[in-house]
Amino acid sequence: MESSRRTMLKAILWNLLGLAVMGLVGHALTGSAAIGGAMAVINTAIGFVMYFIYERIWAHIRWGRHHG
């Protein structure tokens, strides 16, 4: 089972990567760094919360795990 702390670190790192990508995509699509940045921040905040919840749910599901 994965600890909440590990899940939190994974979520932070994943969302920092997503923030950078979404910021670049938002800027490319809108031509505005401010709008692209705002889109990226909103997307990252929502994604962070959803990823954390998703990971915590899966941490309690035994299906597909191998115990040795």
Side-chain angles (χ1 to χ4, degrees):
M1 183 173 295
E2 189 165 290
S3 71
S4 294
R5 204 168 162 180
R6 178 181 161 90
T7 302
M8 180 67 73
L9 179 60
K10 285 172 59 181
I12 290 169
L13 295 175
W14 177 251
N15 278 280
L16 287 175
L17 178 61
L19 177 66
V21 171
M22 184 63 185
L24 292 173
V25 170
H27 183 280
L29 292 176
T30 66
S32 168
I35 294 172
M39 290 170 53
V41 168
I42 292 166
N43 182 68
T44 299
I46 293 168
F48 177 82
V49 171
M50 297 307 298
Y51 179 86
F52 188 83
I53 292 168
Y54 178 82
E55 283 288 323
R56 295 316 302 154
I57 290 169
W58 273 101
H60 295 286
I61 297 172
R62 291 179 176 224
W63 178 82
R65 288 188 178 171
H66 299 285
H67 299 285

